[in-house]
Amino acid sequence: MIEIGGRPMLWHIMTGYARHGVTRFVVCLGYKGEVIKDYFVNYGLRNADLTVDLADGRVAFHENRAEAWSVTLVDTGLETNTGGRLRRVRRWLGEGAFCCTYGDAVSDVDIGALVAGHRAGGARATLTAVRPAGRFGALALDGGRVVRFDEKPPGDGNWISGGFFVLEPSVLDLIEGDGSSWEYDVLPGLAARGELGVHRHDGFWQCLDTPRDKQRLEELWSRGDVPWLAPPR
């Protein structure tokens, strides 16, 4: 598992949701799913002080600092596509609308506002749109002179999917099987039918796709600047 500040990326994402009151999680497992299972099975062990009686093997837990989360870990197949993974966990999702995200981005998106906007909009699905920062610093030019350096200004201004969704259970009916892609099969169909709402987020958002992305998140963590874990405003 990729870690930021010694914590798995998954922990960062789940903690962000928990700060908005979402504490019941279903995790779609694929490659190396056993590593994620091991992490959560031993989560209490990692976050508590212990007394171990070596004679009889008894373990006493003291000051367990584990979060009050319910985490369901579901094997969804090594080769299953993104839409198919959602389809496979349907029995664990309950009857109402649910939040959904990938495991590769953190954000300070207001989950409460996202859910409220979804309910008010009446769409079958709502995605969070973000405008990521540019990859490089920019030069401000005046004629033949450089007059200013702008450190990583906004990119091209286009909105992209930030990967934080709210979905109605009926969306799962649109997923045909394990080979279905959430991004290329399901979302375009919802958009074409006018059933895909949008929540615009101008705050912090950062994916973790490259070593450069990891370096940036590690730098933020090391100086205590972690907007994705900040309490809701």
Side-chain angles (χ1 to χ4, degrees):
M1 290 185 292
I2 297 177
E3 296 186 347
I4 300 298
R7 292 277 194 166
M9 185 68 165
L10 185 58
W11 176 89
H12 287 272
I13 295 169
M14 294 166 73
T15 301
Y17 271 101
R19 290 180 182 271
H20 293 271
V22 179
T23 58
R24 187 170 71 86
F25 302 97
V26 178
V27 182
C28 301
L29 300 180
Y31 178 68
K32 292 291 185 179
E34 70 279 3
V35 176
I36 298 176
K37 285 184 177 180
D38 176 75
Y39 175 79
F40 283 106
V41 167
N42 294 293
Y43 195 89
L45 187 68
R46 292 183 173 94
N47 291 276
D49 298 328
L50 309 172
T51 296
V52 182
D53 190 320
L54 299 181
D56 60 17
R58 286 183 300 174
V59 179
F61 286 76
H62 313 294
E63 297 184 26
N64 191 337
R65 294 178 290 274
E67 287 83 356
W69 300 347
S70 168
V71 183
T72 301
L73 305 164
V74 184
D75 287 310
T76 55
L78 289 176
E79 305 298 330
T80 308
N81 210 333
T82 48
R85 293 189 189 281
L86 269 178
R87 186 172 182 265
R88 284 200 178 201
V89 300
R90 183 171 195 162
R91 64 183 288 242
W92 301 102
L93 298 177
E95 299 299 323
F98 60 94
C99 296
C100 171
T101 192
Y102 304 116
D104 64 353
V106 289
S107 175
D108 62 355
V109 58
D110 187 332
I111 300 298
L114 169 60
V115 172
H118 171 76
R119 290 172 174 164
R124 290 175 77 179
T126 300
L127 65 76
T128 299
V130 300
R131 289 187 287 194
R135 181 178 175 185
F136 303 104
L139 302 177
L141 306 178
D142 184 7
R145 297 288 187 271
V146 176
V147 295
R148 189 177 66 254
F149 289 87
D150 293 329
E151 180 62 23
K152 290 186 174 61
D156 57 14
N158 288 329
W159 292 93
I160 68 169
S161 172
F164 290 81
F165 302 90
V166 181
L167 309 177
E168 294 297 323
S170 64
V171 168
L172 302 178
D173 296 331
L174 306 176
I175 302 172
E176 296 181 356
D178 283 355
S180 295
S181 166
W182 174 247
E183 300 82 7
Y184 299 110
D185 296 326
V186 183
L187 287 178
L190 286 166
R193 292 188 296 272
E195 298 174 337
L196 182 60
V198 63
H199 174 79
R200 292 176 176 84
H201 176 61
D202 280 314
F204 178 86
W205 179 88
Q206 176 64 55
C207 62
L208 202 169
D209 293 333
T210 67
R212 183 191 295 269
D213 298 331
K214 186 177 190 302
Q215 180 182 3
R216 184 189 181 210
L217 289 172
E218 288 284 8
E219 290 172 351
L220 291 173
W221 178 270
S222 66
R223 64 175 186 251
D225 181 11
V226 283
W228 63 92
L229 299 184
R233 294 186 292 273

